[in-house]
């Protein structure tokens, strides 16, 4: 019989696939002998079965009954018994943390009878009725899907009748009245009474958690964080402990280090007389964890000891939830905590120095995406701009945008191209879509452990929380700030997630110190380098020592080449020659296209050649001693001519006015002649070299002459000639023969041996990939053009499909991330693997690289390491990211980056 339910004594932290992160860690803390309220976990396999069939496995009900009986025996009382009820919580717990995205229900087991027993047993009527109203509210919202505002409005009405704004001012009679109101809301919206049977409550809550795996916000979060959709969630059923029993009780969340900066110290929030969701919801401003020492020193000292024990045990920053019930400390959850990019690098190196991990493991604790975040600019405050307030620095970064007051508006404004700051009193899981769309998040309530802070840190989104001086009115769409200042929707705000400062208007930005380090302007050993720069230097240096793939750059100018080299690029993997034909040189391309004779064509090519040669001289100088892969002209020639429609209108207008359109008419004839229905699959790439005699020869001659000139000047140029869009080996053979003849001619003329110049091709068509064994016979190297390979494999025209239907494809889960952002391993990746294997089988030692945008994507880099590529190539800014990820891939063998 399959086992679907495990009590906390039966699992451990290595069973996250089965028990989910929360269940596995509850079991681990139980094994460590920590004070964990007893409970049991219903496995992810149960959830997957339920979602697949619409019903729970037949064995589940009996197994839950057995574990519930075991739990009742621990306490000597029954779930929901009238005189002294056992109460439980029901919480989700997926393998990967998804804060607030799925459901939780507390106080299961309370009903109209047991609430009286709880009041008598606790000697606290207010606590009992508060617990019951919480159950009704959470059950109504999460299980019965009643809009939460109905319950919130009722609470607001009760407080207004009491002439107060504080929940704690509501007494037992007020809460008893709210219970009746909540039951009426449930009856009104569902047609049924709130279930009084405790077991019915439990089963319904469990199934609601299962269903919440596919709730829209959970799907959106998984897509954002690239969490697989087929994992399912576990469900944790745990005996309740109560932080809302009075002022000697409370609940809190803490971190063993600051998740915002990585600094060692006490970081967390505590709320007296509250239950756990009050802290993360941000609906009440919390006390700093340090205040607990004055309120309950015994519990505080025990908590500090447990924090240290857990961090040492997990060898990482831990995020911990706890409750104090009448002076007794209970541990409700721990997990490896989400952290900002800066904190990730700092903590990784701190743990090395503390002897908890080594450099190899530290490298796996940071990611290329985190490094990217550290390279963004920060605010320049040298002019002392006026700050309107300061909140908590919940998630670092510098964000500028227009103030909007709802998730819906954030999405709408962002879709119009506006940068926005989402302003809320506090966020909740339903705000996720707006949080993703916004450039930054600002809340007037909540702390570093609130929903806004935790989710923003996970997404790398700038966030300032708990700006208490701001009076946020989401209905009026205004902020009342100190000094009588009113901020309206659409006003520009600048928020600094590193300091917590909020400014009115747009602040200028300055380069990140991490970029200054990579540019060579900041010595990591100098006094000017902070601990973050030192941490980045330490880990990137280790990554460089581990990686087997070299990192090149995509660059077409000497300036980009020099910058990329400073960033650590080991050559150029893609130098696009067509970019050199723009600007003032376009007239020469026009002459080539309009040539009516061989003489005119040769004259146009002769005029272009010295310009091309000088470009290459400058690039070879910037990359002296490093390889430079020059791609011969690739795009269709019509791209160098005026737009067909605009030119036709111009000619027509001139003729209508009786004017001579002159050169424009000649151009229009050429544009019409070159017009193609699908130019990306037309006359471009190697086809241009075949059809226009001398075009590729001119470019190769410019490369060869520039190489000879640099060698004579004492340089060490290392050019590579790359033929684009080859689909058949015969195309490459023709172009190789022509190129070799040109190179030999320049070599004879200059007296410089140029026979070392390799000639290779881009693999960017499916036919090239599946005939790679043949093509390799004529190639010295392959470079995968994964942008075009993705287009031609999927049958996508990138310029059209991304706007036309990619949003729907992502929403419907056809793919979890755009295949242009991260390589489609199953389709495009398989072609890359086939071409690599067959190419090297035909020509052992064949050099392989990638020059599409995927060369800078962290997940794709791990795949390229698996396949055995020699190098990746990416934009200059992404070079440090690729260096880091190539090192991480070498440390894991290229396995999943998660």
């Amino acid at each position: 019989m399959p086992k679907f339910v495990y009590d906390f004594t039966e699992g451990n932290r290595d069973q996250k696939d089965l028990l989910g992160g929360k269940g596995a860690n509850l079991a681990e803390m139980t094994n460590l002998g920590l004070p964990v309220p007893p409970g049991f976990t219903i496995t992810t396999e149960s959830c997957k079965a339920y979602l697949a069939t619409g019903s729970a496995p037949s064995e589940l009900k009996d197994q839950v009954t057995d574990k519930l009986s075991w739990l009742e025996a621990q306490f000597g009382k029954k779930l929901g018994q009238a005189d002294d009820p056992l109460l439980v919580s029901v919480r989700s717990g997926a393998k990967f943390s998804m804060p607030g995205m799925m459901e939780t229900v507390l106080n299961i087991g309370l009903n109209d009878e047991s609430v009286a027993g709880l009041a008598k047993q606790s000697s606290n009527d207010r606590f009992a009725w508060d617990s019951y109203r919480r159950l009704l509210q959470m059950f109504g919202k999460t299980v019965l899907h009643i809009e939460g505002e109905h319950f919130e409005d009722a609470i607001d009405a009760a407080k207004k009748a009491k002439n107060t704004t504080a929940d704690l001012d509501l007494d037992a009679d007020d809460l008893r009245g709210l219970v009746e109101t909540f039951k009426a809301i449930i009856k009104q919206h569902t047609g049924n009474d709130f279930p009084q049977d405790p077991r019915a409550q439990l089963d319904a809550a469990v199934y609601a958690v299962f269903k919440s795996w596919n709730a829209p916000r959970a799907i959106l979060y998984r897509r954002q964080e690239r969490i697989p959709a087929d994992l399912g969630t576990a469900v944790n059923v745990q005996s309740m402990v109560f932080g809302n029993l009075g002022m000697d009780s409370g609940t809190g969340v803490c971190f063993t280090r600051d998740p915002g900066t990585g600094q060692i110290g006490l970081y967390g929030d505590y709320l007296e007389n509250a239950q756990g969701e009050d802290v993360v919801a941000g609906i009440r401003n919390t006390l700093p964890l340090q205040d607990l020492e004055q309120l309950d020193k015994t519990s505080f000292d025990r908590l500090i000891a447990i924090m240290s024990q857990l961090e040492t045990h997990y060898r990482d920053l831990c995020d911990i939830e706890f409750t104090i019930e009448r002076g007794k400390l209970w541990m409700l959850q721990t997990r490896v905590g989400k952290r900002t990019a800066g904190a990730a690098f700092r903590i990784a190196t701190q743990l090395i120095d503390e002897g908890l991990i080594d450099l190899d493991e530290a490298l796996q604790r940071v990611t290329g995406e985190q490094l990217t975040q550290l390279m963004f600019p920060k605010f320049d405050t040298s002019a002392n701009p006026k700050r309107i307030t300061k909140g908590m620095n919940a998630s670092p970064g510098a964000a500028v945008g227009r103030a909007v007051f709802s998730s819906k508006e954030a999405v709408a404004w962002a879709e119009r191209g506006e940068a926005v700051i989402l302003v809320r009193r506090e966020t909740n899981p339903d705000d996720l879509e707006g949080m993703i769309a916004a450039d930054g998040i600002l809340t007037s309530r909540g702390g570093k452990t609130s929903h806004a802070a935790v989710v923003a840190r996970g997404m790398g989104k700038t966030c300032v929380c708990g700006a208490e001086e701001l009076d946020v009115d989401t209905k009026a769409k205004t902020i009342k700030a100190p000094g009588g200042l009113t901020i309206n929707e659409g006003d520009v705000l600048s928020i600094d997630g590193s300091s917590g400062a909020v400014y009115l208007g747009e602040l200028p930005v300055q380069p990140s110190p991490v970029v200054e380090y990579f540019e060579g302007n900041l010595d990591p050993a100098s006094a000017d380098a902070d601990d973050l720069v030192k941490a980045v230097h330490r880990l990137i240096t280790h990554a460089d020592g581990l990686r087997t793939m070299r990192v090149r750059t995509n660059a077409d100018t000497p300036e980009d080449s020099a910058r990329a080299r400073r960033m650590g690029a080991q050559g150029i993997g893609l130098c696009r020659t067509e970019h050199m034909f723009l600007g003032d040189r376009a007239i020469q391309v026009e002459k080539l296209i309009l040539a009516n004779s061989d003489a005119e064509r040769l004259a146009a090519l002769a005029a272009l050649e010295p310009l091309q040669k000088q470009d290459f001289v400058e690039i070879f100088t910037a990359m002296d001693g490093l390889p430079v892969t020059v791609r011969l002209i690739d795009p269709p020639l019509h791209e160098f001519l005026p737009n067909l429609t605009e030119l036709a209108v111009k000619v027509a207008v001139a003729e209508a006015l009786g004017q001579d359109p002159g050169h424009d008419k000649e151009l229009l004839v050429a544009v019409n002649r070159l017009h193609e229905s699908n130019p990306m699959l037309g006359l471009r790439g190697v086809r241009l070299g075949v059809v226009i005699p001398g075009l590729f020869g001119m470019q190769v001659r410019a490369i060869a002459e520039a190489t000879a000139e640099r060698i004579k000047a004492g340089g060490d140029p290392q050019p590579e000639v790359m033929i684009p869009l080859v689909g058949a080996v015969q195309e490459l053979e023709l172009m190789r023969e022509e190129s070799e003849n040109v190179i030999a001619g320049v070599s004879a003329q200059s007296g410089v041996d140029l026979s070392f110049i390799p000639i290779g091709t881009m693999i960017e068509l499916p036919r090239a990939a599946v005939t790679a064994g043949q093509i390799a016979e004529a190639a010295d190297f392959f470079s995968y053009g994964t942008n075009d390979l993705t287009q031609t494999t999927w049958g996508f025209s990138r310029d059209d499909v991304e706007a036309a239907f990619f949003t729907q494809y992502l929403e419907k889960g056809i793919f979890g991330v755009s295949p242009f952002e991260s390589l489609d391993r199953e389709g495009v990746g398989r072609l890359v693997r086939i071409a690599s294997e067959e190419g090297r089988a035909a020509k052992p030692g064949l050099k392989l690289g990638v020059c599409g945008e995927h060369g800078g994507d962290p997940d794709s880099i791990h795949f390229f390491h698996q396949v055995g590529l020699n190098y990746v190539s990416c934009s200059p800014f992404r070079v440090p990211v690729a260096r880091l990820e190539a090192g991480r891939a070498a440390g894991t063998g290229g396995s999943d980056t998660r």
Side-chain angles (χ1 to χ4, degrees):
M1 177 189 297
K3 185 175 175 68
F4 290 111
V5 187
Y6 292 72
D7 68 60
F8 295 164
T9 66
E10 295 178 299
N12 60 65
R13 66 176 178 176
D14 297 326
Q15 293 179 285
K16 290 180 181 177
D17 285 313
L18 183 67
L19 303 179
K22 186 175 295 181
N25 288 325
L26 284 168
E28 191 74 11
M29 288 197 295
T30 300
N31 295 339
L32 291 172
L34 301 182
V36 176
F40 54 88
T41 299
I42 301 171
T43 66
T44 57
E45 294 300 319
S46 308
C47 174
K48 288 188 277 190
Y50 181 87
L51 295 176
T53 65
S55 60
S58 58
E59 303 90 344
L60 182 61
K61 187 166 187 176
D62 287 344
Q63 290 186 24
V64 169
T65 298
D66 289 344
K67 289 300 181 186
L68 184 59
S69 298
W70 167 84
L71 187 61
E72 290 170 336
Q74 301 283 308
F75 290 90
K77 51 188 176 183
K78 299 286 187 180
L79 178 69
Q81 71 182 41
D83 58 340
D84 184 9
L86 170 67
L87 305 181
V88 297
S89 63
V90 174
R91 302 174 189 262
S92 63
K95 176 181 180 180
F96 300 113
S97 177
M98 297 172 56
M101 296 303 116
M102 292 181 290
E103 306 299 8
T104 293
V105 183
L106 306 181
N107 307 325
I108 293 285
L110 279 175
N111 56 28
D112 293 347
E113 292 185 0
S114 60
V115 66
L118 182 63
K120 182 178 180 181
Q121 180 269 335
S122 64
S123 303
N124 188 330
D125 281 4
R126 186 193 184 283
F127 153 71
W129 289 102
D130 182 46
S131 299
Y132 195 13
R133 74 90 189 163
R134 288 173 186 268
L135 168 62
L136 291 163
Q137 184 174 357
M138 298 177 85
F139 195 94
K141 183 179 178 182
T142 64
V143 179
L144 303 177
H145 308 295
I146 300 170
E147 288 292 332
E149 64 185 24
H150 297 297
F151 300 103
E152 292 293 342
D153 289 347
I155 294 174
D156 289 342
K159 289 190 289 188
K160 186 175 181 180
K162 192 85 170 183
N163 195 28
T164 184
T165 59
D167 291 2
L168 292 179
D169 288 338
L170 299 178
D171 60 24
D173 288 336
D174 299 322
L175 293 166
R176 186 181 287 109
L178 270 179
V179 164
E180 294 305 316
T181 301
F182 284 5
K183 288 196 292 184
I185 290 171
I186 289 171
K187 177 76 170 180
Q188 175 188 350
H189 286 86
T190 68
N192 297 309
D193 292 323
F194 172 73
Q196 296 291 304
D197 177 7
R199 181 58 190 269
Q201 295 174 13
L202 175 62
D203 290 342
V206 169
Y207 299 150
V209 172
F210 284 164
K211 292 175 184 175
S212 70
W213 175 255
N214 283 331
R217 68 191 187 206
I219 293 172
L220 181 62
Y221 186 86
R222 287 200 298 274
R223 187 180 305 133
Q224 176 77 13
E225 298 298 311
R226 299 188 184 182
I227 296 172
D230 59 355
L231 298 179
T233 182
V235 181
N236 299 287
V237 179
Q238 189 172 24
S239 53
M240 285 294 303
V241 289
F242 300 98
N244 59 332
L245 266 170
M247 300 309 285
D248 61 349
S249 303
T251 190
V253 177
C254 58
F255 298 90
T256 54
R257 299 174 195 238
D258 186 345
T261 66
Q263 299 302 321
I264 299 170
L266 284 179
Y267 298 92
D269 300 314
Y270 181 70
L271 264 179
E272 295 176 284
N273 198 16
Q275 285 195 311
E277 78 275 11
D278 296 339
V279 177
V280 295
I283 56 177
R284 286 167 55 190
N285 282 333
T286 56
L287 299 173
L289 186 63
Q290 292 89 331
D291 287 7
L292 180 59
E293 185 174 17
Q294 306 302 319
L295 298 170
D296 184 349
K297 182 165 173 47
T298 300
S299 295
F300 176 81
D301 290 344
R302 178 71 172 124
L303 177 63
I304 297 304
I306 290 174
M307 289 170 65
S308 176
Q309 180 181 358
L310 286 173
E311 182 172 88
T312 301
H313 183 71
Y314 281 87
R315 299 181 303 127
D316 207 345
L317 160 72
C318 289
D319 173 354
I320 298 165
E321 294 181 19
F322 66 93
T323 283
I324 297 173
E325 180 182 286
R326 289 181 171 168
K328 167 68 174 176
L329 176 68
W330 293 97
M331 308 306 294
L332 302 185
Q333 177 173 307
T334 191
R335 60 190 173 199
V336 171
K338 291 185 179 293
R339 66 210 67 188
T340 65
F345 277 84
R346 288 189 182 100
I347 291 171
T349 53
Q350 289 166 3
L351 295 175
I352 297 169
D353 295 336
E354 293 167 24
L356 292 177
I357 62 176
D358 60 18
L359 264 168
D360 287 349
E361 186 165 352
L363 190 59
Q364 301 307 320
R365 301 281 184 93
V366 296
T367 68
E369 287 305 321
Q370 289 169 334
L371 182 57
T372 301
Q373 293 170 28
L374 296 180
M375 295 172 70
F376 290 135
K378 63 178 185 176
F379 286 134
D380 181 358
T381 57
S382 58
N384 295 318
K386 186 176 180 181
R387 191 181 74 198
I388 59 177
T389 192
K390 184 175 182 180
M392 293 187 183
N393 52 332
S395 185
V400 179
R402 299 187 181 277
V404 296
F405 293 85
S406 73
S407 177
K408 183 179 179 181
E409 288 301 312
V411 172
W413 284 53
E415 286 178 347
R416 298 201 302 265
E418 296 274 10
V420 297
I421 304 295
L422 177 61
V423 182
R424 305 285 285 161
R425 281 194 289 265
E426 69 276 331
T427 64
N428 63 58
D430 293 331
D431 289 320
L432 180 64
E433 195 171 6
M435 296 173 75
I436 292 172
D439 285 52
I441 301 151
L442 172 64
T443 72
S444 59
R445 299 177 183 170
K448 285 189 176 181
T449 60
S450 66
H451 174 267
V454 171
V455 174
R457 279 196 297 273
M459 293 192 299
K461 190 83 66 173
T462 300
C463 180
V464 174
C465 285
E468 298 178 18
E469 292 181 323
L470 301 182
D471 180 6
V472 176
D473 187 334
T474 56
K475 292 183 179 178
K477 300 182 179 180
T478 62
I479 306 171
K480 300 290 185 183
L485 179 66
T486 298
I487 299 162
N488 298 299
E489 183 179 58
D491 289 347
V492 175
L493 294 174
S494 296
I495 64 171
D496 189 337
S498 301
S499 68
V502 181
Y503 305 91
L504 184 62
E506 181 175 353
L507 261 61
V509 295
Q510 62 186 15
S512 155
V514 173
V515 171
E516 292 290 282
Y517 154 66
F518 282 122
E519 289 268 25
N521 299 325
L522 182 58
D523 182 353
S526 72
D528 294 332
D530 62 16
D531 58 348
L532 177 57
V533 169
K534 294 178 190 295
V536 169
H537 170 70
R538 193 171 177 183
L539 293 177
I540 199 80
T541 301
H542 187 62
D544 285 339
L546 283 182
R547 61 187 170 90
T548 57
M549 286 192 303
R550 296 174 73 81
V551 176
R552 299 193 194 180
T553 191
N554 300 340
D556 318 319
T557 66
E559 294 77 18
D560 280 350
S561 302
R563 185 182 190 215
R565 187 164 189 162
R566 291 194 301 272
M567 290 281 198
Q570 297 165 294
I572 292 178
L574 177 63
C575 177
R576 303 174 182 88
T577 54
E578 60 269 13
H579 290 179
M580 302 170 183
F581 291 157
L582 302 176
D584 295 341
R585 303 178 186 182
I587 187 64
Q588 302 298 335
V589 181
E590 279 188 16
K591 290 180 179 179
L592 173 65
I593 295 170
L594 298 175
N596 291 314
S597 67
D598 289 346
E600 289 181 2
R601 175 175 51 78
L602 291 172
L605 290 171
L608 284 169
E609 184 183 317
L611 302 176
Q612 283 263 274
K613 173 188 170 183
Q614 186 57 35
D615 292 329
F616 295 137
V617 167
E618 293 175 6
I619 290 173
F620 294 164
T621 301
M623 281 289 171
D624 193 60
L626 295 175
V628 176
T629 303
V630 181
R631 182 181 73 183
L632 304 186
I633 189 168
D634 181 42
L637 290 180
H638 77 84
E639 291 193 8
F640 300 98
L641 297 177
N643 176 270
L644 172 61
T645 303
E646 293 175 0
L647 191 59
V649 169
K650 189 175 179 182
V651 170
V653 169
E655 290 177 338
L657 295 174
Q659 299 170 353
D660 180 7
H663 181 61
D664 286 338
K665 189 158 188 177
E666 185 182 8
L667 273 179
L668 181 59
V669 172
V671 171
N672 273 311
R673 173 169 51 84
L674 293 171
H675 177 70
E676 297 173 302
S677 297
N678 192 342
M680 296 312 292
L681 296 179
L683 182 58
R684 53 170 291 217
V686 67
R687 301 158 194 170
L688 289 169
V690 172
V691 171
I692 303 177
L695 176 59
F696 276 18
M698 177 273 292
Q699 292 192 293
V700 173
R701 184 175 296 105
I703 294 168
E705 290 179 349
T707 304
E709 182 174 314
R710 285 295 301 144
I711 290 174
K712 286 182 176 181
D716 181 20
Q718 297 184 17
E720 300 175 344
V721 176
M722 183 159 69
I723 313 296
L725 210 72
V726 164
V729 67
Q730 293 86 351
E731 294 172 314
L732 182 57
E733 288 171 343
L734 282 172
M735 291 301 100
R736 184 180 186 100
E737 182 180 6
E738 179 181 353
S739 299
E740 287 178 337
N741 289 336
V742 169
I743 292 169
V746 174
S747 184
Q749 186 177 12
S750 65
V752 178
D753 181 14
L754 301 176
S755 61
F756 66 89
I757 298 177
I759 299 170
T761 186
M762 292 183 78
I763 301 294
E764 47 192 334
L765 296 173
R767 191 181 192 282
V770 298
T771 61
Q774 298 174 26
I775 293 174
E777 298 287 356
D780 296 321
F781 63 88
F782 286 171
S783 180
Y784 295 102
T786 52
N787 297 345
D788 273 352
L789 188 57
T790 297
Q791 290 195 97
T792 53
T793 300
W794 278 89
F796 286 158
S797 170
R798 180 174 184 174
D799 292 340
D800 299 321
V801 298
E802 288 190 311
F805 59 80
F806 264 33
T807 299
Q808 292 92 324
Y809 267 47
L810 289 165
E811 288 176 353
K812 297 180 184 302
I814 294 174
F815 37 66
V817 63
S818 165
F820 292 109
E821 293 178 25
S822 192
L823 192 78
D824 160 31
R825 293 191 180 200
E826 295 177 349
V828 179
R830 188 175 179 200
L831 288 175
V832 171
R833 191 181 294 276
I834 289 170
S836 299
E837 292 172 353
E838 295 191 2
R840 281 182 170 159
K843 182 175 285 186
L846 180 71
K847 185 163 63 177
L848 304 174
V850 60
C851 60
E853 290 180 27
H854 300 99
D857 170 63
D859 186 66
S860 304
I861 289 170
H862 285 245
F863 173 78
F864 297 137
H865 174 86
Q866 283 182 350
V867 173
L869 267 57
N870 299 98
Y871 68 86
V872 296
S873 189
C874 56
S875 68
F877 186 81
R878 298 290 287 180
V879 165
V881 173
R883 289 166 57 194
L884 183 77
E885 287 295 349
R888 295 183 68 237
T892 63
S895 59
D896 190 346
T897 57
R898 178 164 295 283

